[in-house]
Amino acid sequence: GGDDEAPAAAPRGVARKAAAPSKMAAVAWTVALLAVLAGLLLLTALLPNSWDAFSPSAVASYQKMNRGDRPTPWSQEEPEGPDDRGAWFRTTFRELVPGKLVLKLYPDVAMYYAFLAFLAVAACAARVFPSVGRVLARRVAIPGPWRVVLPGGSADPETKRRPPPYVLYEVGGGTASLGALVLVAAFAALLFCYSRYVYVDHLYQNNAKASTGGGWLDTKGGAWERAARGTGQLANLGLALLLLPIARHSVLTDAFGIAWEQALWAHILLGYFVLACFIVHAGCWFKVYAMLDIFPDDVLEVPMYYPTNGQPKSAGRCADNWTVPLAVVTTIAALVLMGGLAHYEVRRRRFEVFYYAHHCFLAIYATALWHAASCWYLVLGGLAHWAADRLLRLKEAGRAWTVACCEARADGVVHLELAPADGGRVFAYAPGQYAFLCLPDISHLESHPFTLSAAPSDAAARNRLAFDIKAMPPHPGLGKNAASTFTQGLRRLAEARSSDPATIRVAVEGPCGAAFDASRHDAVLLVAGGIGVTPCHAIFRELYAEARARQDAALVDGSAAAAATTTTLVWVARDRNVLDLFGPTLREAAADDLGGRFRLSLYVDAERGAEAWGTNDAFRGIPFVHGRPDVSRAIADLKAAGAAAPHCFVCGPPGLAAACSAAALAR
């Protein structure tokens, strides 16, 4: 797209088949994931829950321990107490080799892996059975929004008006898929069962109980200690799940058929959940220390007085638990770097500050593994998954590319084309997907996502990736003296080096984003505002090329052409020159709509006043209307046409997206 001449035809469907796994591939992914989960669960049943027990003798002692045996510092003879205590969940002991090997399946660990297995099976069902996938993808309205606000400040002395309140946090409102609601319900069930076990069923006792006469290290702070330890285990659960949604090459998102950015909401909520657990965990321990008269001594000092084992403070320090002050310092850093600097306003205005500060998570996980009992049981899989994703991303970004075209076009848009420098083929992708670009000539530290604007079949035929990127100004909140943006830098680069683009250095990471599968729908409505047309163009162009190829093949062999998905492109641009960014595609579709199956509804809203809206016009063979589209009417037409499985795809300003969402939900 975006060339002066229509790209050459290419084998249809190649990119989509590569990017959208088949049913058999989905089943294979699910079976592989279940096998990995089973292997990790077996590993937790064989090894101690604490790293300081990973010596040959300690591991051997742990593995042969059975129910009723004398406990060690790394296990308990009765984790849930006697049978008559009424625990809902109990540890399972299974002796494989008498006197040598006993598997121990802990309830909290089993719950976590069962939750992941449920997600994998549900995702597989959605991919294998289209009806299930459509149900899970169906969007519903969410009540809200609910906001946490701060006062906006004092009133203006002249106007007497108070500034609007500052929104500290907002949740709810908008829409969510039924699949997301199923995920939330499954997590709520996991959280309930997990909390029941760690707060009620599990007894936090060890071999110190003989000196205290009870089941606690210090009976004086028993209830608070239970709360502290239970909340610490909840933090372990949150840390275990926290990394799964952010992997760009995720087994779970691949199985669900969604993009990694569509799962970021889960990462954000889990992040706040983990930080809240950190605060409550530390606060409960500080309360225990205060009740034992060792606060604030034990907060940052080593050796510690705790556990006092019933002895007065005058008995002296008895424990060299250096992980406690380490956890305190790390928690403070997490609240600032992972909490404060992760706020929406920071992310929006200073993304790189948020991004690099977020790497504090490495210290948090290292501290948790040292400090928290049973932490590795849960987080090992998530860390391994994250590490594998990072290696794949490094491999992608390490490939050399040549800038074949960097041209400044209308409305501040830069048309960028990349070709593999190694002489190989461009990667396969699905229409609507995107890639991350890093241009060292602009910034070594910034990498930004941009839509692959060409149809995948065109990219494969020409062996080039195409991007159409608009120069966007800085966030208004940064003030008039704010530094220019990455896209503004790209625009200047295009104006300066358009005659010699090969000198521009670039790194590419992708493709990313959900694979669009038109075979699930009999009618597709693509709604775009401004430069948001790039994914819509890629989808429209690919579907048109496939339908054209089927029609031509039918003419050759005399058979009837297979029915194509009815596709409508609605695009509103500022002026007519913007339409020519994808002129070849628009002119071709305007000249031949393939029997009414491909329709254009193009608008220009900034050339004439509202009194002239509704006037038909044309520009270089591209018909358009002055004004703005009625998206509610366009969506209603989908319903009126009798489409059994319609789909609306929108990319543009928030107002346009909200209007489409409201109209779709109303029908």
Side-chain angles (χ1 to χ4, degrees):
D3 295 334
D4 293 333
E5 298 181 0
R12 62 184 184 275
V14 174
R16 186 185 309 166
K17 291 176 182 176
S22 66
K23 294 180 180 180
M24 290 302 297
V27 172
W29 270 115
T30 304
V31 171
L33 177 58
L34 293 176
V36 170
L37 294 177
L40 290 172
L41 184 60
L42 177 62
L43 202 62
T44 65
L46 288 171
L47 298 175
N49 67 355
S50 178
W51 292 106
D52 56 5
F54 273 58
S55 65
S57 59
V59 170
S61 175
Y62 175 83
Q63 289 180 343
K64 68 181 181 181
M65 183 175 299
N66 206 336
R67 184 186 297 274
D69 290 344
R70 184 176 183 275
T72 71
W74 311 289
S75 68
Q76 301 164 53
E77 56 178 328
E78 296 288 352
E80 297 85 31
D83 292 338
D84 60 0
R85 185 170 170 268
W88 288 9
F89 306 102
R90 305 190 67 84
T91 302
T92 299
F93 293 81
R94 182 61 58 88
E95 189 172 38
L96 297 185
V97 180
K100 291 186 178 180
L101 183 58
V102 178
L103 296 183
K104 305 165 189 66
L105 184 61
Y106 298 107
D108 51 342
V109 179
M111 293 173 195
Y112 167 70
Y113 286 103
F115 172 74
L116 296 184
F118 167 78
L119 294 186
V121 173
C124 182
R127 300 302 297 274
V128 173
F129 303 105
S131 58
V132 176
R134 283 194 292 268
V135 169
L136 293 179
R138 185 177 181 86
R139 303 194 72 82
V140 295
I142 301 297
W146 294 283
R147 298 183 177 96
V148 177
V149 300
L150 297 177
S154 57
D156 186 284
E158 296 182 1
T159 64
K160 307 300 182 182
R161 294 179 180 177
R162 298 181 64 87
Y166 177 75
V167 179
L168 184 65
Y169 184 70
E170 179 177 310
V171 65
T175 66
S177 68
L178 288 177
L181 297 181
V182 170
L183 176 61
V184 171
F187 177 72
L190 169 67
L191 193 61
F192 173 78
C193 295
Y194 200 94
S195 299
R196 164 71 196 197
Y197 180 73
V198 299
Y199 284 116
V200 179
D201 291 351
H202 189 81
L203 293 179
Y204 297 98
Q205 61 190 27
N206 67 8
N207 58 351
K209 70 177 183 177
S211 63
T212 64
W216 298 92
L217 293 176
D218 283 292
T219 55
K220 187 176 180 180
W224 287 99
E225 184 172 340
R226 176 184 289 276
R229 293 183 182 274
T231 308
Q233 293 303 313
L234 283 182
N236 286 346
L237 176 63
L239 289 172
L241 296 170
L242 191 59
L243 293 179
L244 296 179
I246 62 170
R248 294 179 188 170
H249 303 87
S250 171
V251 175
L252 284 175
T253 53
D254 283 348
F256 269 107
I258 62 175
W260 72 277
E261 73 274 6
Q262 291 174 288
L264 286 180
W265 62 270
H267 173 75
I268 294 171
L269 293 180
L270 284 169
Y272 284 115
F273 171 77
V274 170
L275 289 178
C277 287
F278 284 174
I279 295 172
V280 174
H281 175 68
C284 290
W285 271 120
F286 294 166
K287 175 64 175 179
V288 172
Y289 294 167
M291 295 173 71
L292 298 173
D293 195 29
I294 55 175
F295 180 85
D297 307 69
D298 273 12
V299 173
L300 292 174
E301 295 185 18
V302 178
M304 300 173 60
Y305 292 106
Y306 187 89
T308 63
N309 294 324
Q311 301 298 315
K313 182 178 180 180
S314 59
R317 301 176 182 271
C318 62
D320 188 17
N321 190 353
W322 54 271
T323 69
V324 171
L326 177 63
V328 171
V329 173
T330 307
T331 297
I332 295 173
L335 293 176
V336 175
L337 300 177
M338 309 291 283
L341 295 184
H343 189 270
Y344 173 79
E345 290 297 329
V346 179
R347 299 199 311 268
R348 185 67 176 167
R349 302 185 187 192
R350 301 288 186 183
F351 181 83
E352 280 67 40
V353 172
F354 148 77
Y355 178 76
Y356 287 105
H358 231 56
H359 283 74
C360 167
F361 84 93
L362 294 170
I364 293 172
Y365 275 85
T367 300
L369 288 170
W370 277 321
H371 172 71
S374 301
C375 183
W376 81 266
Y377 281 174
L378 305 182
V379 305
L380 180 63
L383 283 173
H385 188 262
W386 170 83
D389 172 67
R390 293 297 300 184
L391 290 175
L392 287 172
R393 289 170 56 188
L394 284 173
K395 179 178 179 295
E396 290 175 356
R399 187 180 184 186
W401 294 84
T402 298
V403 178
C405 174
C406 186
E407 179 182 335
R409 294 190 174 178
D411 200 30
V413 174
V414 173
H415 180 71
L416 188 67
E417 293 186 6
L418 310 178
D422 55 10
R425 304 294 301 173
V426 297
F427 53 71
Y429 64 92
Q433 288 190 298
Y434 59 92
F436 282 81
L437 299 181
C438 176
L439 286 90
D441 295 286
I442 302 174
S443 172
H444 288 273
L445 300 178
E446 296 184 40
S447 179
H448 293 265
F450 299 105
T451 301
L452 292 149
S453 56
S457 55
D458 293 340
R462 303 179 65 240
N463 202 33
R464 287 186 180 183
L465 302 177
F467 302 86
D468 288 272
I469 303 167
K470 183 174 180 177
M472 303 299 291
H475 189 284
L478 295 178
K480 298 180 180 179
N481 298 322
S484 62
T485 63
F486 182 91
T487 52
Q488 288 176 325
L490 178 61
R491 177 74 181 191
R492 290 194 297 269
L493 198 63
E495 293 169 348
R497 299 200 207 172
S498 59
S499 60
D500 192 15
T503 61
I504 301 174
R505 297 170 295 165
V506 63
V508 182
E509 181 188 327
C512 300
F516 181 79
D517 186 2
S519 64
R520 290 175 173 238
H521 312 286
D522 55 358
V524 174
L525 175 64
L526 306 170
V527 182
I531 198 60
V533 73
T534 49
C536 297
H537 169 264
I539 295 170
F540 186 89
R541 172 72 189 177
E542 184 72 1
L543 296 180
Y544 186 91
E546 290 184 355
R548 166 75 77 179
R550 285 195 297 268
Q551 179 175 284
D552 293 345
L555 291 174
V556 172
D557 58 26
S559 61
T565 301
T566 300
T567 306
T568 302
L569 173 62
V570 178
W571 179 22
V572 55
R574 289 178 54 82
D575 62 71
R576 65 185 67 199
N577 292 304
V578 179
L579 300 178
D580 209 33
L581 292 174
F582 301 104
T585 297
L586 301 180
R587 282 187 282 271
E588 186 177 3
D592 184 2
D593 61 7
L594 301 184
R597 291 172 295 174
F598 288 85
R599 305 163 186 164
L600 296 176
S601 186
L602 309 178
Y603 296 82
V604 171
D605 68 350
E607 285 190 353
R608 298 182 182 178
E611 68 281 356
W613 283 12
T615 306
N616 293 322
D617 207 336
F619 176 67
R620 296 181 182 177
I622 304 173
F624 67 91
V625 177
H626 290 280
R628 293 176 181 172
D630 183 351
V631 293
S632 180
R633 176 64 180 272
I635 292 174
D637 289 344
L638 278 181
K639 188 75 171 179
H647 181 74
C648 178
F649 181 101
V650 58
C651 185
L656 181 64
C660 289
S661 179
L665 285 171
R667 291 166 178 81

